[in-house]
Amino acid sequence: MSGDVEVTGRARPTLESVAARAGVSRGTASRALGGGGPVSPRTRAAVLAAAEALGYRPNLAARSLVLGRTGNVGLLVSESDDRLFTDPFFAAIVRGVHGELADAGIHLVLTLAQTEAERRRAVRFATSGHVDGLLLISVRGGDPLPEALAAQGLPVVLSGRRSAEPAAGLAWVDADNRDGARQAVDHLVRTGRRRIATVSGPADLAAGRDRMAGWRDVLRAAGLPDDLHTSGEFDLDSGHAATHRLLERDPHLDAVFAGSDLIALGVLQALREAGRQVPDDVAVVGFDDIPAARGSDPPLTTVRQPVEAMGARMAAMLLARLDGTPPDPPWAVLPTALVVRSSA
Amino acid sequence: MSGDVEVTGRARPTLESVAARAGVSRGTASRALGGGGPVSPRTRAAVLAAAEALGYRPNLAARSLVLGRTGNVGLLVSESDDRLFTDPFFAAIVRGVHGELADAGIHLVLTLAQTEAERRRAVRFATSGHVDGLLLISVRGGDPLPEALAAQGLPVVLSGRRSAEPAAGLAWVDADNRDGARQAVDHLVRTGRRRIATVSGPADLAAGRDRMAGWRDVLRAAGLPDDLHTSGEFDLDSGHAATHRLLERDPHLDAVFAGSDLIALGVLQALREAGRQVPDDVAVVGFDDIPAARGSDPPLTTVRQPVEAMGARMAAMLLARLDGTPPDPPWAVLPTALVVRSSA
DNA sequence: ATGAAAGCGCTAACAC
DNA sequence: GTGTTAGCGCTTTCAT
């Protein structure tokens, strides 16, 4: 080959070259472009024109070095489970977060932490000065990571409920899982169901616990038995296996509240195998409203959570904190809503 | 409140402080920690100990400023469609990409570009020196973005087939969509189907076109008619509506090859409404193997593509390019595989 | 093998 | 209002 023809032959223009072309000093050019200092309209116009002509883009590393801020926030997916990768939750969170950050000119740096080694790397990353703050997704109950990070002085916002008095520098956003579950089970009770089981998600994820608690709330209030429950992962196999166990314990159960739509799909499958008609013999309600929920047979009644809005809210809370106005209270609970289709 | 107790009271240790503690100069400390220069074992040990004791983390902005590299690569999701957000494709790509980058100590900066305004912002971002290279996801056929970016001298790798001779600095990775479609339709033919329709994805996405081409390949080779095709988006409604149209055109069709699993779910729904049994009256094959594919009634026969591996490969190609060894050829096509369940 | 010094591109404090 | 200057923290010659 005839050698690398370096297309970017001319080096990127610096503030220096812009200033030179506009016939001013570097400091003035800096003020004209971004800073708040006083600049005459004439000069400003000249600098802007020069920058435009040269195609000037500020060097972010240099800016970040002097400012002590990076203009980045991290999104750390503490993914011990596969949930994020089996439903579109992750993508929706990202979309919400990104929308909010982009408006503020902040960039999103993504980090996954599945293994223990990756977790250590993620901590190093978060404390390396690469980001000004951190968003944490899918944190298990006893996980010390958020507090550890916040203790380093890094602003942190989590998805998923935490204690009502989070540590300093720590905030959280969650969907109202408990109320969503109540709506779902309430719907079952009002439509005449009496033996209502639940297949809930992992007990060490707040979402799993809260959805089960909502189920129990309604049953107790209605004076109905709350003995039919099993928990597992948020996936199809969990739903499938659990339903067969439940059916053995009580062949006459007439409803199942599933902790997620994927679980619900497994429930439907098991009910088919057991010869039960849905919703005639057994009603089924899911949670999440994933796209495939509309395509099941029958289409799934489920609880929708505002995932994208949750992402946006997390980002907004972090930005507020970075602006020096920590949100008070340092948490937010977003409403969920029942979507009634044919399965219940 | 009693004032901000700045927990990070002591400023972050710099190389200077490490050097001081080790009793050497800043330059020596730098060499000991990372650089390749000659350092005596004694000195190196002293510097390492000092760094450890101080909890030293290099300032990335400073390093990036002097090195002219950022240690970041961008993942730009040029999402004109909703596909990434309705199936777990996006998450799997991210996982693959991240795994590869993390090993190289490179960070992933995520950018979405849905609207025209966001696209402009994304271009500014990509050319702002914030990233050393760019990964592009979900690019439509005529989109000039990749070439424009590559022309700026930015190394770019796309997901999805491009011309066989991509522009300089541009590379791509794709699944073998055409072959996957061939496997699917071949399976239909071998199991006795004769009126095989397809509901394909968008014609301006290579994946959509290639899957339809594979369908046609097999039908022509088998001397079967290839007139039953419609195209739409990669979603459930497309599949649903298209199937009703197809059924009108030929009530006797005995198989449908769907361009995605979500389409296939819509197809199943429409077939149920039309009173057709699957697979007895009509066989259905999907594409992607999303988690919900196992939960449909009947479970979906589908084509699996190695999404995570595609992400990893994209990242690997970009890293190679950044290391100065551009991959040759500048593309990769990864194999797909038929997963037979009950729907065909 | 080590120290001194230059400089990456930028902002902000300080003179004028 | 504008120019000058001093760094931000790091890597890398160049001497020694």
Side-chain angles (χ1 to χ4, degrees):
Chain A
M1 292 299 129
S2 55
D4 279 331
V5 178
E6 191 47 291
V7 185
T8 45
R10 64 225 187 296
R12 276 182 54 173
T14 71
L15 187 54
E16 186 72 51
S17 48
V18 172
R21 188 177 225 266
V24 299
S25 78
R26 203 171 25 154
T28 305
S30 175
R31 278 186 293 261
L33 286 169
V39 195
S40 84
R42 269 185 61 89
T43 322
R44 159 166 287 120
V47 171
L48 258 36
E52 173 69 30
L54 260 33
Y56 170 70
R57 344 266 8 238
N59 180 315
L60 298 175
R63 173 178 288 169
S64 159
L65 180 58
V66 58
L67 254 30
R69 296 182 277 99
T70 64
N72 295 331
V73 314
L75 179 66
L76 172 55
V77 180
S78 182
E79 170 219 1
S80 12
D81 65 320
D82 265 351
R83 179 171 167 231
L84 297 175
F85 292 86
T86 54
D87 73 38
F89 181 83
F90 174 58
I93 283 275
V94 165
R95 178 157 27 187
V97 167
H98 183 271
E100 197 73 21
L101 293 183
D103 289 341
I106 302 285
H107 297 128
L108 182 61
V109 183
L110 199 92
T111 306
L112 269 32
Q114 318 187 57
T115 64
E116 196 42 50
E118 286 193 340
R119 277 173 65 95
R120 273 194 301 276
R121 189 151 56 189
V123 172
R124 280 220 320 275
F125 158 77
T127 57
S128 72
H130 206 71
V131 296
D132 301 330
L134 204 60
L135 266 12
L136 269 168
I137 303 290
S138 184
V139 180
R140 298 266 166 173
D143 195 330
L145 194 58
E147 281 76 10
L149 259 12
Q152 300 261 341
L154 199 69
V156 173
V157 180
L158 319 175
S159 79
R161 195 160 57 75
R162 210 69 178 173
S163 79
E165 277 306 330
L170 207 145
W172 57 262
V173 174
D174 204 356
D176 199 338
N177 288 302
R178 188 158 184 167
D179 184 64
R182 285 200 202 103
Q183 293 179 54
V185 181
D186 199 58
H187 173 76
L188 292 170
V189 171
R190 279 189 287 102
T191 51
R193 308 293 171 166
R194 289 301 171 260
R195 280 301 277 161
I196 303 175
T198 189
V199 182
S200 63
D204 57 351
L205 230 32
R209 276 201 316 280
D210 291 351
R211 292 172 193 179
M212 176 153 145
W215 165 83
R216 179 159 279 143
D217 290 345
V218 175
L219 293 188
R220 293 202 171 157
L224 259 19
D226 63 353
D227 57 312
L228 285 177
H229 61 83
T230 84
S231 66
E233 289 303 314
F234 274 126
D235 63 15
L236 212 136
D237 291 329
S238 275
H240 182 264
T243 303
H244 280 302
R245 288 201 303 276
L246 251 14
L247 247 17
E248 261 175 43
R249 274 163 56 187
D250 185 350
H252 301 299
L253 63 85
D254 59 7
V256 179
F257 168 57
S260 80
D261 284 348
L262 246 16
I263 291 178
L265 256 21
V267 171
L268 288 180
Q269 200 168 52
L271 290 173
R272 266 196 301 274
E273 293 164 1
R276 303 297 203 282
Q277 294 293 321
V278 177
D280 301 339
D281 302 329
V282 182
V284 176
V285 183
F287 212 110
D288 290 341
D289 196 21
I290 64 174
R294 297 167 46 225
S296 63
D297 178 27
L300 210 53
T301 292
T302 185
V303 179
R304 176 178 300 161
Q305 48 180 340
V307 184
E308 191 170 335
M310 289 167 66
R313 189 62 165 274
M314 290 177 68
M317 289 177 88
L318 186 56
L319 289 177
R321 176 74 162 66
L322 293 180
D323 276 356
T325 55
D328 181 33
W331 64 79
V333 177
L334 271 43
T336 47
L338 185 68
V339 178
V340 179
R341 298 205 180 92
S342 323
S343 69
Chain B
M1 292 300 124
S2 56
D4 280 329
V5 178
E6 191 47 290
V7 184
T8 45
R10 64 218 187 299
R12 276 182 52 175
T14 71
L15 188 54
E16 187 72 51
S17 48
V18 172
R21 188 178 226 266
V24 299
S25 78
R26 202 168 23 145
T28 304
S30 175
R31 278 186 291 260
L33 286 169
V39 196
S40 83
R42 267 185 62 89
T43 320
R44 157 165 289 120
V47 172
L48 258 36
E52 174 69 31
L54 260 31
Y56 170 70
R57 344 266 8 238
N59 180 315
L60 296 176
R63 174 178 288 172
S64 168
L65 180 58
V66 56
L67 254 29
R69 296 182 278 100
T70 63
N72 294 332
V73 314
L75 179 66
L76 172 55
V77 181
S78 181
E79 170 217 1
S80 11
D81 65 321
D82 265 354
R83 179 174 167 227
L84 296 175
F85 292 86
T86 54
D87 73 38
F89 181 83
F90 175 58
I93 282 276
V94 165
R95 181 163 16 192
V97 166
H98 184 271
E100 197 73 22
L101 293 182
D103 289 341
I106 301 287
H107 296 128
L108 182 61
V109 183
L110 198 90
T111 306
L112 269 33
Q114 319 187 54
T115 64
E116 196 44 49
E118 286 193 340
R119 277 173 64 94
R120 272 194 301 276
R121 189 150 55 190
V123 172
R124 282 220 320 275
F125 157 78
T127 57
S128 71
H130 206 73
V131 294
D132 301 330
L134 205 58
L135 265 13
L136 269 168
I137 303 290
S138 185
V139 180
R140 298 264 166 174
D143 196 330
L145 195 59
E147 281 76 11
L149 260 14
Q152 300 260 341
L154 200 70
V156 173
V157 180
L158 318 176
S159 79
R161 196 161 55 75
R162 209 70 178 173
S163 79
E165 276 306 329
L170 207 146
W172 57 261
V173 174
D174 204 357
D176 198 338
N177 287 302
R178 188 158 184 166
D179 183 64
R182 284 201 204 105
Q183 293 179 55
V185 181
D186 198 58
H187 173 75
L188 292 170
V189 171
R190 279 188 287 102
T191 50
R193 309 293 170 167
R194 288 302 172 259
R195 281 301 276 162
I196 303 175
T198 189
V199 182
S200 63
D204 57 352
L205 229 35
R209 275 201 316 280
D210 291 351
R211 292 172 193 179
M212 176 154 142
W215 165 82
R216 181 159 278 142
D217 289 345
V218 175
L219 293 189
R220 294 202 169 159
L224 260 19
D226 63 353
D227 57 312
L228 286 177
H229 61 82
T230 85
S231 66
E233 289 303 312
F234 274 125
D235 63 15
L236 212 136
D237 291 329
S238 274
H240 182 263
T243 302
H244 281 301
R245 288 202 304 277
L246 250 14
L247 247 16
E248 262 175 41
R249 275 164 55 187
D250 185 349
H252 302 299
L253 63 83
D254 59 8
V256 180
F257 168 58
S260 80
D261 284 348
L262 245 17
I263 291 178
L265 257 21
V267 171
L268 287 179
Q269 199 168 53
L271 289 174
R272 267 197 300 274
E273 292 163 4
R276 302 298 202 281
Q277 296 293 321
V278 176
D280 300 340
D281 302 329
V282 181
V284 176
V285 183
F287 211 110
D288 290 341
D289 196 21
I290 64 175
R294 297 168 44 223
S296 63
D297 179 26
L300 210 52
T301 292
T302 185
V303 179
R304 176 177 301 162
Q305 48 179 343
V307 184
E308 190 171 335
M310 289 167 64
R313 189 62 165 276
M314 290 178 68
M317 288 177 90
L318 185 56
L319 289 177
R321 176 74 161 67
L322 293 179
D323 277 356
T325 55
D328 181 33
W331 65 78
V333 177
L334 271 43
T336 48
L338 185 69
V339 179
V340 179
R341 298 205 180 92
S342 323
S343 70

